[in-house]
Amino acid sequence: MTRDLSIPRHDWTLDEVEALFARPFMELVFEAATVHRRWFDPSEVQKSQLLSIKTGGCAENCGYCSQSASFQTGLPSGCRAARPRRLAVARAATTGGAARFCRGAAGRELTPRDTPKLATMIAGVKALGLETCATLGMLTADQARQLKAAGLDYYNHNLDTGPEYYAEVVTTRTYQDRLDTLQHVRDAGMSTCCGGIVGMGEARRDRAGLLHALATLPEHPDSLPVNALVPVTGTPLGDRVKREGEIDPIEFVRTVAVARLVCPKAMVRLSAGRETMSPEMQALCFLAGANSIFVGGKLLTTPNPEQDEDAALFALLDLKPMEPKPVEVAA
C-alpha cells in the first residue's frame, strides 16, 4: 500500500529520503506540488523581513559565515542597529506586505543582559501586527521561556547540514547543541524555524541527511528555510565553492521538493541565494512547494532582491502575499 505523502510522518529513514531525491525530476516536482496544494494555497507566498541587530564578531567558526571572528571577511565587528532604526524597518516591512519580522544577532548564545531589550523590541513589532521571530544562537530552557513570555512567536535555529557533514561546516558547537536548543524552544511553546544551507560542497546524501533530521524531529519545523550558500570571500566554504562551483539549480529545486514532501505542513522558505536565482528557477521552487521568502535588500550581511524586484516577480508569476495571522499583543 502506497503511503499518502500529504500526511505528516516522523518515521522516515535516510534511505527513503535519499530515494526521493533520486526520483525523476518531473515526477518529484509534480508530487511535491500536489502535497503543497493539500495544505496551502499555491498562489500565496509569505513575505518575511530579516534585520541584523548585532553584526560580526561571532565566536563560532561556521565555515560559510561572514560574521565569524575566525575569518577575515572585511566585516566590522560587533555593530548594533539602533532601536529607532529597528522599528522603522519593521514599519517599512508592513507596507511591503511582510507578515513576519525577524531579528538576528551574531553570537554563540543569548546573554542574560540582552533579554529585557529583546522583550521591548518584540512588543514593539507585535504592536505593528507582525509575527515575531528571532535568531540569537543557542538558548537555555530558561531563556526560551523568557522569550516566550515576552511574546516571541518563532525562534530560528538551523541545523545547517546533515549530521555526517556537520564537522566540515562548524566545530565550535555540536549537532546535539543545536537539537537541544530546538527542544528548549518547543518545550517553551514557541514555534520553530529550522532548516539549513545547501551548496557547501556536501553530497546529495548529506542534503538528504539534513531533511531526514528535520523530518524525524518530535515536531516538524513550523518554518523550514532552504538556503543556497552565498559564497563569501574569506570564509573556508565560500572560497571552496568559488573554486568548485555552486549547487546545480535543478538539484536545489529537488531539495525544495523533498523538503515539502517530508515536512508537508511546514512553511518552506526560499531563503539566502535568491539574488542570483533566475525568475524561472524561483518559479520552479514555488511550484515544488516553497511558499515563503525574505524580502528587503539584505539578509543579515548578504544581498537579497529589492522590494521592487520581488513585486515584479510576484506579478510575473501571479502570486500574492500571504495575509499575516492575527498576533497576540501582551497587555
Side-chain angles (χ1 to χ4, degrees), residues 88-156:
V89 173
R91 292 190 189 96
T94 64
T95 61
R100 186 181 302 170
F101 188 71
C102 308
R103 281 142 299 181
R108 175 177 171 78
E109 57 203 353
L110 179 63
T111 61
R113 69 176 182 273
D114 288 330
T115 306
K117 300 173 187 176
L118 286 166
T120 301
M121 280 191 285
I122 291 165
V125 171
K126 290 179 80 72
L128 298 173
L130 291 166
E131 295 176 353
T132 56
C133 181
T135 177
L136 310 164
M138 293 188 292
L139 296 180
T140 65
D142 186 57
Q143 288 171 332
R145 288 191 292 267
Q146 290 181 57
L147 290 176
K148 172 63 177 177
L152 190 66
D153 299 304
Y154 287 79
Y155 194 79
N156 167 259

Coordinates of all heavy atoms in Angstrom, one line a residue, residues 88-156:
A88 N 11.8 51.3 12.5 CA 11.5 51.9 11.2 C 11.5 50.8 10.1 O 10.7 50.8 9.2 CB 12.6 52.9 10.9
V89 N 12.4 49.9 10.2 CA 12.5 48.8 9.3 C 11.3 47.9 9.4 O 10.7 47.4 8.4 CB 13.8 47.9 9.5 CG1 13.8 46.7 8.6 CG2 15.0 48.8 9.1
A90 N 10.8 47.6 10.6 CA 9.6 46.8 10.8 C 8.4 47.5 10.2 O 7.5 46.9 9.6 CB 9.4 46.6 12.3
R91 N 8.3 48.8 10.4 CA 7.1 49.6 9.8 C 7.2 49.5 8.3 O 6.1 49.3 7.7 CB 7.1 51.0 10.3 CG 6.9 51.2 11.7 CD 6.6 52.7 12.1 NE 6.6 52.9 13.5 CZ 7.6 53.3 14.2 NH1 8.8 53.5 13.7 NH2 7.5 53.4 15.5
A92 N 8.4 49.6 7.7 CA 8.5 49.5 6.3 C 8.1 48.1 5.8 O 7.6 48.0 4.7 CB 9.9 49.9 5.9
A93 N 8.4 47.1 6.6 CA 8.1 45.7 6.3 C 6.6 45.6 6.1 O 6.1 44.9 5.2 CB 8.6 44.8 7.3
T94 N 5.8 46.2 7.0 CA 4.4 46.1 6.9 C 3.8 46.7 5.6 O 2.9 46.1 5.0 CB 3.7 46.8 8.1 OG1 3.9 48.2 8.1 CG2 4.2 46.2 9.4
T95 N 4.4 47.8 5.2 CA 3.9 48.5 4.0 C 4.3 47.6 2.7 O 3.7 47.7 1.7 CB 4.5 49.9 3.8 OG1 5.9 49.8 3.8 CG2 4.1 50.7 5.0
G96 N 5.4 46.8 2.9 CA 5.8 46.0 1.8 C 5.1 44.6 1.7 O 5.5 43.8 0.9
G97 N 4.2 44.4 2.6 CA 3.4 43.2 2.6 C 4.0 42.1 3.5 O 3.5 40.9 3.4
A98 N 5.0 42.4 4.3 CA 5.5 41.3 5.1 C 4.6 40.9 6.2 O 3.8 41.7 6.8 CB 6.9 41.8 5.8
A99 N 4.6 39.6 6.5 CA 3.7 39.1 7.6 C 4.5 38.8 8.9 O 4.0 38.6 9.9 CB 3.0 37.8 7.1
R100 N 5.9 38.7 8.7 CA 6.7 38.3 9.8 C 8.0 39.1 9.8 O 8.5 39.4 8.8 CB 7.1 36.8 9.8 CG 7.8 36.3 11.0 CD 8.2 34.8 10.8 NE 7.0 34.0 10.6 CZ 7.0 32.7 10.3 NH1 8.2 32.1 10.1 NH2 5.9 32.0 10.1
F101 N 8.4 39.5 11.0 CA 9.6 40.3 11.1 C 10.6 39.6 12.0 O 10.3 39.2 13.1 CB 9.3 41.7 11.7 CG 10.5 42.6 11.7 CD1 10.9 43.2 10.5 CD2 11.2 43.0 12.9 CE1 12.0 44.1 10.5 CE2 12.3 43.8 12.9 CZ 12.7 44.4 11.7
C102 N 11.8 39.3 11.5 CA 12.8 38.5 12.1 C 14.0 39.4 12.5 O 14.4 40.2 11.7 CB 13.3 37.4 11.2 SG 11.9 36.4 10.6
R103 N 14.6 39.1 13.7 CA 15.8 39.8 14.1 C 16.9 38.8 14.3 O 16.7 37.7 14.9 CB 15.6 40.6 15.4 CG 14.9 41.9 15.2 CD 13.9 42.1 16.3 NE 12.9 41.1 16.3 CZ 11.9 41.1 17.1 NH1 11.8 42.0 18.0 NH2 11.0 40.1 17.1
G104 N 18.1 39.1 13.8 CA 19.2 38.2 14.0 C 20.4 38.9 14.7 O 20.7 40.1 14.4
A105 N 21.0 38.2 15.6 CA 22.2 38.7 16.3 C 23.3 37.7 16.2 O 23.2 36.6 16.6 CB 21.9 39.0 17.8
A106 N 24.5 38.2 15.7 CA 25.6 37.3 15.7 C 26.1 37.0 17.1 O 26.2 37.9 17.9 CB 26.8 38.0 14.9
G107 N 26.4 35.7 17.3 CA 26.9 35.3 18.6 C 26.7 33.9 18.9 O 25.8 33.3 18.2
R108 N 27.4 33.3 19.8 CA 27.3 31.9 20.1 C 25.9 31.6 20.8 O 25.3 30.6 20.6 CB 28.4 31.4 21.0 CG 28.3 30.0 21.5 CD 29.6 29.6 22.3 NE 29.4 28.3 22.9 CZ 29.6 27.1 22.3 NH1 29.9 27.1 21.0 NH2 29.4 26.0 23.0
E109 N 25.5 32.5 21.7 CA 24.4 32.3 22.6 C 23.8 33.6 23.0 O 24.5 34.7 23.0 CB 24.7 31.4 23.7 CG 25.9 32.0 24.6 CD 26.6 30.9 25.4 OE1 26.2 29.8 25.4 OE2 27.6 31.3 26.0
L110 N 22.6 33.6 23.5 CA 21.9 34.7 24.1 C 22.5 35.0 25.4 O 22.7 34.1 26.3 CB 20.4 34.5 24.2 CG 19.5 35.6 24.7 CD1 19.6 36.8 23.8 CD2 18.1 35.1 24.9
T111 N 22.8 36.3 25.7 CA 23.3 36.7 27.0 C 22.2 37.2 27.9 O 21.2 37.8 27.4 CB 24.4 37.7 26.9 OG1 23.8 38.9 26.3 CG2 25.5 37.2 26.1
P112 N 22.2 37.0 29.2 CA 21.2 37.5 30.1 C 20.8 39.0 30.0 O 19.7 39.3 30.1 CB 21.7 37.1 31.5 CG 22.6 36.0 31.3 CD 23.3 36.3 30.0
R113 N 21.8 39.8 29.7 CA 21.6 41.2 29.7 C 20.8 41.6 28.5 O 20.2 42.7 28.4 CB 22.9 42.0 29.7 CG 23.8 41.9 28.5 CD 25.0 42.7 28.5 NE 25.8 42.6 27.3 CZ 26.7 41.7 27.1 NH1 27.0 40.8 28.0 NH2 27.4 41.7 26.0
D114 N 20.7 40.8 27.5 CA 20.0 41.1 26.2 C 18.5 40.9 26.3 O 17.8 41.4 25.5 CB 20.6 40.4 25.0 CG 22.0 40.9 24.6 OD1 22.2 42.1 24.9 OD2 22.8 40.1 24.1
T115 N 18.1 40.0 27.2 CA 16.7 39.6 27.2 C 15.7 40.7 27.4 O 14.7 40.8 26.7 CB 16.5 38.5 28.3 OG1 17.4 37.4 28.1 CG2 15.1 37.9 28.2
P116 N 15.9 41.6 28.4 CA 15.0 42.7 28.6 C 14.8 43.6 27.3 O 13.8 44.1 27.0 CB 15.5 43.5 29.8 CG 16.4 42.5 30.5 CD 17.0 41.6 29.5
K117 N 16.0 43.9 26.7 CA 15.9 44.7 25.5 C 15.1 44.0 24.4 O 14.4 44.6 23.6 CB 17.4 45.0 25.0 CG 18.3 45.7 26.0 CD 19.7 45.8 25.4 CE 20.6 46.3 26.5 NZ 22.0 46.3 26.0
L118 N 15.3 42.7 24.3 CA 14.6 41.9 23.3 C 13.1 41.9 23.6 O 12.3 42.0 22.6 CB 15.1 40.5 23.3 CG 16.4 40.3 22.6 CD1 17.0 38.9 23.0 CD2 16.3 40.4 21.1
A119 N 12.7 41.9 24.8 CA 11.3 41.9 25.2 C 10.7 43.2 24.7 O 9.5 43.2 24.2 CB 11.1 41.8 26.7
T120 N 11.4 44.3 24.8 CA 10.9 45.6 24.4 C 10.7 45.6 22.9 O 9.7 46.1 22.3 CB 11.8 46.8 24.8 OG1 11.9 46.8 26.2 CG2 11.3 48.1 24.3
M121 N 11.7 45.1 22.2 CA 11.6 45.0 20.7 C 10.5 44.1 20.2 O 9.8 44.5 19.3 CB 13.0 44.5 20.1 CG 14.1 45.5 20.1 SD 15.5 44.8 19.1 CE 16.2 43.7 20.3
I122 N 10.3 43.0 20.9 CA 9.2 42.1 20.5 C 7.9 42.8 20.6 O 7.0 42.7 19.7 CB 9.3 40.8 21.4 CG1 10.5 40.0 21.0 CG2 8.0 40.0 21.2 CD1 10.9 38.9 22.0
A123 N 7.7 43.5 21.7 CA 6.4 44.2 22.0 C 6.2 45.2 20.9 O 5.1 45.4 20.4 CB 6.4 44.8 23.3
G124 N 7.2 45.9 20.5 CA 7.1 47.0 19.5 C 6.7 46.4 18.1 O 5.9 47.0 17.4
V125 N 7.3 45.3 17.8 CA 7.0 44.7 16.5 C 5.6 44.1 16.5 O 4.8 44.3 15.5 CB 8.1 43.6 16.1 CG1 7.6 42.9 14.9 CG2 9.4 44.3 15.9
K126 N 5.2 43.4 17.6 CA 3.9 42.8 17.6 C 2.8 43.9 17.6 O 1.7 43.7 17.1 CB 3.7 42.0 18.9 CG 4.6 40.7 18.8 CD 4.4 39.9 20.1 CE 3.1 39.1 20.1 NZ 3.2 37.9 19.2
A127 N 3.1 45.1 18.1 CA 2.1 46.2 18.1 C 1.8 46.6 16.6 O 0.8 47.2 16.4 CB 2.6 47.4 18.9
L128 N 2.7 46.3 15.7 CA 2.5 46.6 14.3 C 1.7 45.6 13.6 O 1.4 45.7 12.4 CB 3.9 46.8 13.6 CG 4.8 47.9 14.1 CD1 6.2 47.8 13.4 CD2 4.1 49.3 13.8
G129 N 1.4 44.5 14.3 CA 0.6 43.4 13.7 C 1.4 42.3 13.0 O 0.8 41.6 12.2
L130 N 2.7 42.3 13.3 CA 3.6 41.3 12.6 C 3.9 40.2 13.5 O 4.0 40.3 14.7 CB 4.9 42.0 12.2 CG 4.9 43.0 11.1 CD1 6.2 43.8 11.2 CD2 4.7 42.4 9.8
E131 N 4.0 39.0 12.9 CA 4.6 37.8 13.7 C 6.0 38.2 14.0 O 6.7 38.8 13.2 CB 4.5 36.5 12.9 CG 3.1 36.1 12.6 CD 3.1 34.8 11.7 OE1 4.2 34.4 11.2 OE2 2.0 34.3 11.5
T132 N 6.5 37.6 15.1 CA 7.9 37.9 15.5 C 8.7 36.7 15.5 O 8.3 35.6 15.8 CB 7.9 38.5 16.9 OG1 7.3 37.7 17.8 CG2 7.3 39.9 17.0
C133 N 10.0 36.8 15.1 CA 10.9 35.7 15.0 C 12.3 36.3 15.4 O 12.6 37.5 15.2 CB 11.0 35.1 13.6 SG 12.1 33.7 13.4
A134 N 13.1 35.4 16.0 CA 14.5 35.8 16.3 C 15.4 34.7 16.1 O 15.1 33.5 16.2 CB 14.6 36.3 17.8
T135 N 16.7 35.0 15.8 CA 17.8 34.0 15.7 C 18.9 34.6 16.4 O 19.6 35.6 16.0 CB 18.1 33.7 14.2 OG1 19.2 32.8 14.2 CG2 18.4 34.9 13.4
L136 N 19.2 34.0 17.6 CA 20.1 34.6 18.6 C 21.2 33.6 19.1 O 21.8 33.8 20.1 CB 19.4 35.2 19.8 CG 18.2 36.1 19.4 CD1 17.3 36.3 20.6 CD2 18.7 37.4 18.9
G137 N 21.3 32.5 18.4 CA 22.2 31.5 18.8 C 21.6 30.5 19.8 O 20.4 30.3 19.8
M138 N 22.4 29.8 20.6 CA 21.9 28.8 21.5 C 21.1 29.4 22.6 O 21.4 30.5 23.1 CB 23.0 27.9 22.0 CG 23.7 27.1 20.9 SD 24.9 25.9 21.6 CE 26.2 27.0 22.2
L139 N 20.1 28.6 23.1 CA 19.3 29.1 24.2 C 19.3 28.0 25.3 O 19.3 26.8 25.0 CB 17.8 29.3 23.8 CG 17.5 30.4 22.8 CD1 16.0 30.3 22.6 CD2 17.9 31.7 23.3
T140 N 19.2 28.5 26.5 CA 18.9 27.5 27.6 C 17.4 27.4 27.7 O 16.6 28.2 27.1 CB 19.4 28.1 29.0 OG1 18.7 29.3 29.3 CG2 20.9 28.4 28.9
A141 N 16.9 26.4 28.5 CA 15.5 26.3 28.7 C 14.9 27.5 29.3 O 13.8 27.9 28.9 CB 15.2 25.1 29.6
D142 N 15.6 28.1 30.3 CA 15.0 29.3 31.0 C 15.0 30.5 30.0 O 14.0 31.3 30.0 CB 15.9 29.7 32.2 CG 15.3 30.9 32.9 OD1 14.1 30.7 33.4 OD2 16.0 31.9 33.1
Q143 N 16.0 30.7 29.1 CA 15.9 31.8 28.1 C 14.8 31.6 27.2 O 14.1 32.5 26.8 CB 17.3 31.8 27.4 CG 18.4 32.3 28.2 CD 19.8 32.2 27.6 OE1 20.0 31.3 26.7 NE2 20.7 33.1 27.9
A144 N 14.6 30.3 26.8 CA 13.4 30.1 25.9 C 12.1 30.5 26.5 O 11.2 31.1 25.9 CB 13.4 28.6 25.4
R145 N 12.0 30.1 27.8 CA 10.7 30.5 28.5 C 10.6 32.0 28.6 O 9.5 32.6 28.5 CB 10.7 29.9 29.9 CG 10.5 28.4 29.9 CD 10.2 27.8 31.3 NE 11.4 27.9 32.1 CZ 12.3 26.9 32.3 NH1 12.1 25.8 31.6 NH2 13.3 27.0 33.1
Q146 N 11.7 32.7 28.8 CA 11.6 34.2 28.9 C 11.2 34.8 27.6 O 10.4 35.8 27.5 CB 13.0 34.7 29.3 CG 13.4 34.4 30.8 CD 14.7 35.0 31.1 OE1 14.9 36.2 31.0 NE2 15.6 34.1 31.5
L147 N 11.8 34.3 26.5 CA 11.4 34.8 25.2 C 9.9 34.5 24.9 O 9.2 35.4 24.3 CB 12.3 34.2 24.1 CG 13.7 34.7 24.1 CD1 14.5 33.9 23.0 CD2 13.8 36.2 23.9
K148 N 9.4 33.4 25.2 CA 8.0 33.0 25.1 C 7.2 34.0 25.9 O 6.2 34.5 25.4 CB 7.8 31.6 25.5 CG 6.3 31.2 25.5 CD 5.6 31.3 24.2 CE 4.2 30.8 24.2 NZ 3.5 31.0 22.9
A149 N 7.6 34.2 27.1 CA 6.8 35.2 28.0 C 6.8 36.6 27.4 O 5.8 37.3 27.6 CB 7.4 35.2 29.4
A150 N 7.9 36.9 26.7 CA 7.9 38.3 26.1 C 7.1 38.4 24.9 O 6.9 39.5 24.3 CB 9.4 38.6 25.7
G151 N 6.6 37.2 24.3 CA 5.7 37.3 23.2 C 6.3 36.8 21.9 O 5.7 36.9 20.8
L152 N 7.5 36.3 21.9 CA 8.1 35.8 20.7 C 7.4 34.6 20.1 O 7.0 33.7 20.8 CB 9.6 35.4 20.9 CG 10.4 35.1 19.7 CD1 10.6 36.4 18.9 CD2 11.8 34.5 20.0
D153 N 7.1 34.7 18.8 CA 6.3 33.7 18.1 C 7.1 32.5 17.6 O 6.8 31.4 17.8 CB 5.5 34.3 17.0 CG 4.5 35.3 17.4 OD1 3.7 35.1 18.3 OD2 4.6 36.5 16.9
Y154 N 8.3 32.9 16.9 CA 9.1 31.9 16.3 C 10.6 32.1 16.7 O 11.0 33.2 17.0 CB 9.1 32.0 14.8 CG 7.8 31.6 14.1 CD1 6.7 32.4 14.1 CD2 7.8 30.3 13.5 CE1 5.5 31.9 13.5 CE2 6.6 29.9 12.8 CZ 5.5 30.7 12.9 OH 4.3 30.3 12.2
Y155 N 11.3 31.0 16.8 CA 12.7 31.0 17.1 C 13.4 30.2 16.0 O 13.1 29.1 15.7 CB 13.1 30.5 18.4 CG 14.5 30.9 18.8 CD1 14.8 32.1 19.3 CD2 15.6 30.0 18.6 CE1 16.1 32.5 19.6 CE2 16.9 30.4 18.9 CZ 17.1 31.6 19.4 OH 18.4 32.0 19.7
N156 N 14.4 30.9 15.3 CA 15.2 30.2 14.3 C 16.5 29.7 14.8 O 17.2 30.4 15.5 CB 15.5 31.2 13.1 CG 16.5 30.7 12.2 OD1 17.7 31.0 12.2 ND2 16.1 29.8 11.3

